[in-house]
mmCIF file of all heavy atoms in Angstrom:
data_model
loop_
_atom_site.group_PDB
_atom_site.id
_atom_site.type_symbol
_atom_site.label_atom_id
_atom_site.label_comp_id
_atom_site.label_asym_id
_atom_site.label_seq_id
_atom_site.Cartn_x
_atom_site.Cartn_y
_atom_site.Cartn_z
ATOM 1 N N TYR A 141 -11.652 -11.086 20.931
ATOM 2 C CA TYR A 141 -10.895 -10.436 20.002
ATOM 3 C C TYR A 141 -11.549 -10.010 18.735
ATOM 4 O O TYR A 141 -12.457 -10.792 18.235
ATOM 5 C CB TYR A 141 -9.573 -11.279 19.575
ATOM 6 C CG TYR A 141 -8.866 -11.737 20.824
ATOM 7 C CD1 TYR A 141 -8.964 -13.149 21.102
ATOM 8 C CD2 TYR A 141 -7.951 -10.970 21.479
ATOM 9 C CE1 TYR A 141 -8.250 -13.609 22.239
ATOM 10 C CE2 TYR A 141 -7.340 -11.421 22.607
ATOM 11 C CZ TYR A 141 -7.409 -12.797 22.956
ATOM 12 O OH TYR A 141 -6.683 -13.223 23.956
ATOM 13 N N PHE A 142 -11.207 -8.943 18.144
ATOM 14 C CA PHE A 142 -11.505 -8.594 16.711
ATOM 15 C C PHE A 142 -10.241 -8.782 15.991
ATOM 16 O O PHE A 142 -9.142 -8.414 16.432
ATOM 17 C CB PHE A 142 -12.067 -7.201 16.657
ATOM 18 C CG PHE A 142 -13.553 -7.023 16.890
ATOM 19 C CD1 PHE A 142 -14.001 -6.850 18.211
ATOM 20 C CD2 PHE A 142 -14.450 -7.205 15.869
ATOM 21 C CE1 PHE A 142 -15.389 -6.747 18.479
ATOM 22 C CE2 PHE A 142 -15.857 -7.147 16.204
ATOM 23 C CZ PHE A 142 -16.307 -6.906 17.433
ATOM 24 N N PHE A 143 -10.355 -9.221 14.729
ATOM 25 C CA PHE A 143 -9.150 -9.463 13.866
ATOM 26 C C PHE A 143 -9.442 -8.976 12.432
ATOM 27 O O PHE A 143 -9.517 -9.645 11.460
ATOM 28 C CB PHE A 143 -8.946 -10.981 13.822
ATOM 29 C CG PHE A 143 -7.546 -11.352 13.419
ATOM 30 C CD1 PHE A 143 -6.375 -10.880 14.083
ATOM 31 C CD2 PHE A 143 -7.330 -12.257 12.347
ATOM 32 C CE1 PHE A 143 -5.125 -11.258 13.738
ATOM 33 C CE2 PHE A 143 -6.098 -12.642 11.946
ATOM 34 C CZ PHE A 143 -4.949 -12.120 12.637
ATOM 35 N N PRO A 144 -9.631 -7.653 12.353
ATOM 36 C CA PRO A 144 -9.937 -7.052 11.070
ATOM 37 C C PRO A 144 -8.779 -7.151 9.998
ATOM 38 O O PRO A 144 -7.618 -7.068 10.388
ATOM 39 C CB PRO A 144 -10.138 -5.546 11.355
ATOM 40 C CG PRO A 144 -9.416 -5.321 12.627
ATOM 41 C CD PRO A 144 -9.443 -6.622 13.434
ATOM 42 N N ASP A 145 -9.224 -7.310 8.781
ATOM 43 C CA ASP A 145 -8.295 -7.300 7.703
ATOM 44 C C ASP A 145 -8.075 -5.888 7.286
ATOM 45 O O ASP A 145 -8.974 -5.163 6.962
ATOM 46 C CB ASP A 145 -8.891 -8.079 6.478
ATOM 47 C CG ASP A 145 -8.033 -8.156 5.254
ATOM 48 O OD1 ASP A 145 -7.626 -7.113 4.846
ATOM 49 O OD2 ASP A 145 -7.868 -9.257 4.774
ATOM 50 N N ILE A 146 -6.857 -5.435 7.180
ATOM 51 C CA ILE A 146 -6.411 -4.033 6.925
ATOM 52 C C ILE A 146 -5.617 -3.949 5.756
ATOM 53 O O ILE A 146 -4.856 -3.048 5.577
ATOM 54 C CB ILE A 146 -5.799 -3.304 8.196
ATOM 55 C CG1 ILE A 146 -4.519 -4.164 8.658
ATOM 56 C CG2 ILE A 146 -6.775 -3.219 9.337
ATOM 57 C CD1 ILE A 146 -3.315 -3.865 8.018
ATOM 58 N N SER A 147 -5.810 -4.946 4.833
ATOM 59 C CA SER A 147 -4.898 -4.999 3.591
ATOM 60 C C SER A 147 -5.118 -3.760 2.714
ATOM 61 O O SER A 147 -4.256 -3.409 1.950
ATOM 62 C CB SER A 147 -5.201 -6.230 2.804
ATOM 63 O OG SER A 147 -6.596 -6.379 2.582
ATOM 64 N N HIS A 148 -6.214 -3.030 3.037
ATOM 65 C CA HIS A 148 -6.442 -1.684 2.280
ATOM 66 C C HIS A 148 -5.304 -0.736 2.445
ATOM 67 O O HIS A 148 -5.037 0.005 1.494
ATOM 68 C CB HIS A 148 -7.774 -1.115 2.805
ATOM 69 C CG HIS A 148 -8.112 0.246 2.331
ATOM 70 N ND1 HIS A 148 -8.564 0.527 1.002
ATOM 71 C CD2 HIS A 148 -7.908 1.460 2.938
ATOM 72 C CE1 HIS A 148 -8.648 1.863 0.926
ATOM 73 N NE2 HIS A 148 -8.312 2.424 2.045
ATOM 74 N N TYR A 149 -4.573 -0.885 3.570
ATOM 75 C CA TYR A 149 -3.576 0.123 3.982
ATOM 76 C C TYR A 149 -2.163 -0.406 3.639
ATOM 77 O O TYR A 149 -1.297 0.434 3.644
ATOM 78 C CB TYR A 149 -3.726 0.508 5.441
ATOM 79 C CG TYR A 149 -4.966 1.274 5.716
ATOM 80 C CD1 TYR A 149 -6.013 0.573 6.320
ATOM 81 C CD2 TYR A 149 -5.034 2.635 5.407
ATOM 82 C CE1 TYR A 149 -7.225 1.338 6.599
ATOM 83 C CE2 TYR A 149 -6.238 3.377 5.781
ATOM 84 C CZ TYR A 149 -7.302 2.668 6.333
ATOM 85 O OH TYR A 149 -8.457 3.380 6.533
ATOM 86 N N ILE A 150 -2.066 -1.671 3.366
ATOM 87 C CA ILE A 150 -0.720 -2.183 3.124
ATOM 88 C C ILE A 150 -0.157 -1.757 1.767
ATOM 89 O O ILE A 150 -0.863 -1.767 0.722
ATOM 90 C CB ILE A 150 -0.721 -3.795 3.185
ATOM 91 C CG1 ILE A 150 -1.017 -4.203 4.592
ATOM 92 C CG2 ILE A 150 0.631 -4.305 2.784
ATOM 93 C CD1 ILE A 150 -1.235 -5.685 4.841
ATOM 94 N N GLY A 151 1.087 -1.206 1.747
ATOM 95 C CA GLY A 151 1.654 -0.756 0.562
ATOM 96 C C GLY A 151 1.513 0.793 0.444
ATOM 97 O O GLY A 151 2.112 1.451 -0.354
ATOM 98 N N LYS A 152 0.726 1.336 1.356
ATOM 99 C CA LYS A 152 0.552 2.790 1.248
ATOM 100 C C LYS A 152 1.549 3.505 2.301
ATOM 101 O O LYS A 152 2.166 2.916 3.075
ATOM 102 C CB LYS A 152 -0.859 3.180 1.762
ATOM 103 C CG LYS A 152 -1.961 2.712 0.817
ATOM 104 C CD LYS A 152 -3.356 3.212 1.139
ATOM 105 C CE LYS A 152 -4.425 2.793 0.154
ATOM 106 N NZ LYS A 152 -5.706 3.385 0.469
ATOM 107 N N THR A 153 1.638 4.718 2.127
ATOM 108 C CA THR A 153 2.446 5.633 2.936
ATOM 109 C C THR A 153 1.462 6.552 3.679
ATOM 110 O O THR A 153 0.737 7.389 3.065
ATOM 111 C CB THR A 153 3.522 6.516 2.249
ATOM 112 O OG1 THR A 153 4.459 5.534 1.575
ATOM 113 C CG2 THR A 153 4.323 7.329 3.170
ATOM 114 N N LEU A 154 1.475 6.451 5.003
ATOM 115 C CA LEU A 154 0.452 7.239 5.840
ATOM 116 C C LEU A 154 1.273 8.251 6.645
ATOM 117 O O LEU A 154 1.982 7.820 7.540
ATOM 118 C CB LEU A 154 -0.290 6.258 6.752
ATOM 119 C CG LEU A 154 -1.085 5.117 6.053
ATOM 120 C CD1 LEU A 154 -1.894 4.370 7.202
ATOM 121 C CD2 LEU A 154 -2.017 5.617 5.006
ATOM 122 N N ASP A 155 1.020 9.517 6.323
ATOM 123 C CA ASP A 155 1.768 10.572 7.084
ATOM 124 C C ASP A 155 3.237 10.276 7.194
ATOM 125 O O ASP A 155 3.809 10.454 8.213
ATOM 126 C CB ASP A 155 1.078 10.745 8.472
ATOM 127 C CG ASP A 155 1.331 12.035 9.097
ATOM 128 O OD1 ASP A 155 1.620 12.987 8.303
ATOM 129 O OD2 ASP A 155 1.315 12.124 10.345
ATOM 130 N N GLY A 156 3.866 9.870 6.076
ATOM 131 C CA GLY A 156 5.252 9.609 6.063
ATOM 132 C C GLY A 156 5.680 8.250 6.506
ATOM 133 O O GLY A 156 6.874 7.894 6.501
ATOM 134 N N ASN A 157 4.734 7.412 6.971
ATOM 135 C CA ASN A 157 5.050 6.046 7.428
ATOM 136 C C ASN A 157 4.700 4.986 6.350
ATOM 137 O O ASN A 157 3.441 4.969 6.014
ATOM 138 C CB ASN A 157 4.271 5.702 8.708
ATOM 139 C CG ASN A 157 4.564 6.692 9.792
ATOM 140 O OD1 ASN A 157 5.487 6.447 10.603
ATOM 141 N ND2 ASN A 157 3.825 7.823 9.974
ATOM 142 N N GLU A 158 5.727 4.277 5.912
ATOM 143 C CA GLU A 158 5.465 3.229 4.970
ATOM 144 C C GLU A 158 4.873 2.011 5.692
ATOM 145 O O GLU A 158 5.370 1.470 6.624
ATOM 146 C CB GLU A 158 6.737 2.776 4.218
ATOM 147 C CG GLU A 158 6.564 1.718 3.189
ATOM 148 C CD GLU A 158 7.860 1.272 2.598
ATOM 149 O OE1 GLU A 158 8.878 1.789 3.041
ATOM 150 O OE2 GLU A 158 7.834 0.414 1.647
ATOM 151 N N ILE A 159 3.723 1.560 5.177
ATOM 152 C CA ILE A 159 3.000 0.455 5.756
ATOM 153 C C ILE A 159 3.336 -0.812 4.944
ATOM 154 O O ILE A 159 2.638 -1.094 3.942
ATOM 155 C CB ILE A 159 1.509 0.701 5.879
ATOM 156 C CG1 ILE A 159 1.162 2.032 6.503
ATOM 157 C CG2 ILE A 159 0.745 -0.433 6.607
ATOM 158 C CD1 ILE A 159 1.712 2.187 7.931
ATOM 159 N N LYS A 160 4.224 -1.610 5.383
ATOM 160 C CA LYS A 160 4.588 -2.777 4.632
ATOM 161 C C LYS A 160 3.758 -4.006 5.011
ATOM 162 O O LYS A 160 3.617 -4.893 4.256
ATOM 163 C CB LYS A 160 6.094 -3.132 4.894
ATOM 164 C CG LYS A 160 7.057 -2.046 4.411
ATOM 165 C CD LYS A 160 8.554 -2.452 4.494
ATOM 166 C CE LYS A 160 8.905 -2.659 5.977
ATOM 167 N NZ LYS A 160 8.881 -1.415 6.807
ATOM 168 N N ASP A 161 3.274 -4.029 6.305
ATOM 169 C CA ASP A 161 2.503 -5.140 6.718
ATOM 170 C C ASP A 161 1.621 -4.672 7.952
ATOM 171 O O ASP A 161 1.659 -3.474 8.309
ATOM 172 C CB ASP A 161 3.396 -6.347 7.107
ATOM 173 C CG ASP A 161 4.441 -5.996 8.115
ATOM 174 O OD1 ASP A 161 4.256 -5.108 9.033
ATOM 175 O OD2 ASP A 161 5.543 -6.554 8.014
ATOM 176 N N ALA A 162 0.934 -5.568 8.575
ATOM 177 C CA ALA A 162 0.125 -5.186 9.623
ATOM 178 C C ALA A 162 0.797 -4.740 10.957
ATOM 179 O O ALA A 162 0.289 -3.932 11.665
ATOM 180 C CB ALA A 162 -0.832 -6.418 10.004
ATOM 181 N N ASP A 163 2.025 -5.290 11.147
ATOM 182 C CA ASP A 163 2.800 -4.795 12.253
ATOM 183 C C ASP A 163 3.147 -3.243 12.126
ATOM 184 O O ASP A 163 3.126 -2.516 13.079
ATOM 185 C CB ASP A 163 4.137 -5.503 12.365
ATOM 186 C CG ASP A 163 3.893 -6.943 12.904
ATOM 187 O OD1 ASP A 163 2.773 -7.343 13.086
ATOM 188 O OD2 ASP A 163 4.925 -7.726 12.987
ATOM 189 N N ASP A 164 3.561 -2.855 10.801
ATOM 190 C CA ASP A 164 3.776 -1.374 10.625
ATOM 191 C C ASP A 164 2.418 -0.600 10.930
ATOM 192 O O ASP A 164 2.501 0.450 11.515
ATOM 193 C CB ASP A 164 4.170 -1.143 9.223
ATOM 194 C CG ASP A 164 5.563 -1.577 8.838
ATOM 195 O OD1 ASP A 164 6.326 -1.804 9.844
ATOM 196 O OD2 ASP A 164 5.839 -1.734 7.731
ATOM 197 N N PHE A 165 1.310 -1.203 10.483
ATOM 198 C CA PHE A 165 0.029 -0.519 10.676
ATOM 199 C C PHE A 165 -0.311 -0.400 12.187
ATOM 200 O O PHE A 165 -0.748 0.696 12.625
ATOM 201 C CB PHE A 165 -1.049 -1.242 9.926
ATOM 202 C CG PHE A 165 -2.369 -0.450 10.020
ATOM 203 C CD1 PHE A 165 -2.647 0.535 9.133
ATOM 204 C CD2 PHE A 165 -3.434 -1.001 10.865
ATOM 205 C CE1 PHE A 165 -3.849 1.157 9.216
ATOM 206 C CE2 PHE A 165 -4.683 -0.326 10.835
ATOM 207 C CZ PHE A 165 -4.874 0.794 10.093
ATOM 208 N N ALA A 166 0.003 -1.419 12.983
ATOM 209 C CA ALA A 166 -0.365 -1.435 14.404
ATOM 210 C C ALA A 166 0.560 -0.311 15.054
ATOM 211 O O ALA A 166 -0.002 0.310 15.998
ATOM 212 C CB ALA A 166 -0.133 -2.830 14.989
ATOM 213 N N MET A 167 1.825 -0.258 14.704
ATOM 214 C CA MET A 167 2.628 0.707 15.292
ATOM 215 C C MET A 167 2.245 2.177 14.889
ATOM 216 O O MET A 167 2.183 3.026 15.750
ATOM 217 C CB MET A 167 4.119 0.580 14.848
ATOM 218 C CG MET A 167 5.111 1.432 15.597
ATOM 219 S SD MET A 167 5.076 1.179 17.379
ATOM 220 C CE MET A 167 5.896 -0.464 17.410
#
């Protein structure tokens, strides 16, 4: 497994998608 830290994206809105946590980012 790789387990990258993606906290850079948490709290951002990506293409209309609010990224509250890593689960949002994975989706």
Side-chain angles (χ1 to χ4, degrees):
Y141 306 104
F142 277 89
F143 199 57
D145 181 309
I146 52 86
S147 53
H148 172 79
Y149 294 99
I150 294 175
K152 294 186 176 183
T153 298
L154 306 181
D155 201 22
N157 298 272
E158 183 183 1
I159 308 299
K160 298 185 294 295
D161 55 34
D163 287 1
D164 287 343
F165 185 77
M167 188 61 71

